[in-house]
Amino acid sequence: MENIDELKHQTNGKPTYKLTQANVYVSPGGFHYIDHLDPMEEVSPTIDGSGLTDAEVTYIEKSLQSNPERLDNQLAAVKRHLTIAGKKALDIGCGGGLFLAQLKAAGANVTGVELSDTRAFYAKTKYGFEVLKRTIEDEYWKNFYGSFDIVTLWDVIEHVNYPMATVQAAARMLKPGGILLIDTPCRDAFYHRFGEFTYKLSGGRFPTFLNTMYSAKPFGHKQILSLTEMKGLFEAAGLEVAELKRFHELSFPYSFYLKKLLRSELLVKVLLPFVHIFFVIFPIRNKMLAIGRKV
């Protein structure tokens, strides 16, 4: 497998896909990544909750954490491989903290990692568990190697600068027999493949779904991984692949996307039942779930 972290510095040539919000490069081995890295040295470990407005709270509760199916999928994935009661869990990129709150209610001892000040402050004050504002690659975590039974990265790995380093750092946090769970958009899926097809067919004029999958904005999507790449990342981190599959899931409820597209509450109400039926009949497996066990 290519060292995909080293590839992140090889962006001098012509991009394979020139998109609205990012330039996408494709390595000889097929890794897809953009020419942007976030300045992580600017991240302070101090959580400043002064910017948590009512509007941000509404976004966290009504949008970010509003998809119950997503939460159910995450909890079910953990339960397939471990009992939760009495376990120590670390959620990297915990957002508003709802997933960890569910683990805590099931008897786990939980800790969150969140780089957004407002979300870290919300999770910490709302649910009362520890939330740390430090990247998992930080030297701070050396004292916690081998401390956790469960480590999760839900919709996180596509955002990080160096996915190989992140997976290896997360794996070091696990006890022997502990599990790392990752979900992320999948490159071996309809949306990405269709976007590549329309881009090539139109000479770059119609990237369709590719425009929504990559972004050079702060903490945007920097890479979209394939199943093979994820398997390689786990093996390089000393993890045994316990589960690796594509599945259908949207980060937000269907109504959220319809509102973005249509900007009409009436049309959303009319079309929502048909959208539900469509995805029941055609459950497009747009994401991957990867679960690795520390050997």
Side-chain angles (χ1 to χ4, degrees):
M1 178 182 172
E2 296 173 302
N3 186 321
I4 60 178
D5 286 1
E6 290 182 0
L7 289 170
K8 302 300 283 293
H9 297 283
Q10 299 176 24
T11 56
N12 294 324
K14 182 180 179 182
T16 304
Y17 304 109
K18 196 166 186 177
L19 307 177
T20 303
Q21 299 185 82
N23 294 319
V24 179
Y25 291 80
V26 179
S27 74
F31 177 54
H32 288 51
Y33 60 103
I34 70 168
D35 58 346
H36 172 78
L37 298 171
D38 288 317
M40 300 308 296
E41 64 276 5
E42 297 177 9
V43 176
S44 165
T46 302
I47 297 173
D48 179 6
S50 63
L52 184 63
T53 63
D54 290 342
E56 177 73 3
V57 171
T58 298
Y59 174 76
I60 292 170
E61 296 177 348
K62 303 297 184 183
S63 294
L64 185 67
Q65 300 184 154
S66 62
N67 191 345
E69 180 184 4
R70 183 167 179 260
L71 181 62
D72 290 344
N73 287 340
Q74 293 168 350
L75 292 171
V78 176
K79 290 175 181 178
R80 283 197 298 273
H81 296 271
L82 279 180
T83 56
I84 295 174
K87 299 299 192 294
K88 290 188 67 177
L90 179 69
D91 186 17
I92 302 167
C94 69
L98 184 57
F99 170 73
L100 280 183
Q102 295 294 315
L103 290 187
K104 182 180 177 182
N109 181 349
V110 303
T111 303
V113 175
E114 178 54 54
L115 301 186
S116 162
D117 281 302
T118 53
R119 295 176 190 181
F121 184 79
Y122 174 91
K124 190 173 184 177
T125 55
K126 172 80 172 178
Y127 300 113
F129 49 70
E130 185 175 25
V131 180
L132 296 165
K133 189 172 162 244
R134 295 177 181 270
T135 67
I136 198 62
E137 300 87 357
D138 194 291
E139 292 289 314
Y140 169 87
W141 293 105
K142 281 188 173 182
N143 294 326
F144 298 91
Y145 287 174
S147 297
F148 294 90
D149 304 284
I150 303 162
V151 176
T152 55
L153 290 134
W154 301 127
D155 283 311
V156 169
I157 200 68
E158 65 271 22
H159 296 273
V160 304
N161 284 342
Y162 301 111
M164 181 175 283
T166 297
V167 171
Q168 291 178 349
R172 284 193 287 268
M173 306 302 293
L174 289 170
K175 300 176 182 178
I179 57 173
L180 172 65
L181 302 96
I182 296 178
D183 71 354
T184 184
C186 184
R187 205 172 73 240
D188 311 314
F190 169 78
Y191 294 121
H192 199 285
R193 287 174 172 170
F194 185 78
E196 291 182 286
F197 172 75
T198 58
Y199 187 98
K200 292 171 182 176
L201 189 67
S202 66
R205 291 189 297 276
F206 300 109
T208 58
F209 296 116
L210 289 185
N211 266 339
T212 66
M213 301 189 82
Y214 295 94
S215 173
K217 291 182 178 179
F219 300 104
H221 287 193
K222 297 175 182 63
Q223 56 267 323
I224 305 295
L225 298 168
S226 69
L227 291 165
T228 299
E229 288 163 351
M230 185 64 76
K231 182 175 183 288
L233 288 178
F234 273 31
E235 291 173 346
L239 299 175
E240 179 184 82
V241 177
E243 190 173 341
L244 181 62
K245 67 178 183 180
R246 288 181 296 148
F247 71 106
H248 170 71
E249 182 186 89
L250 298 178
S251 297
F252 302 99
Y254 299 133
S255 58
F256 176 87
Y257 297 99
L258 286 175
K259 288 175 184 176
K260 289 282 187 181
L261 289 170
L262 303 174
R263 302 184 184 280
S264 167
E265 292 287 346
L266 178 60
L267 283 175
V268 170
K269 289 180 181 179
V270 170
L271 292 177
L272 189 56
F274 297 100
V275 172
H276 277 288
I277 292 170
F278 175 84
F279 281 111
V280 168
I281 299 172
F282 304 105
I284 298 171
R285 295 180 296 168
N286 58 307
K287 294 184 71 175
M288 78 165 84
L289 172 67
I291 302 177
R293 189 178 300 276
K294 186 72 169 286
V295 293

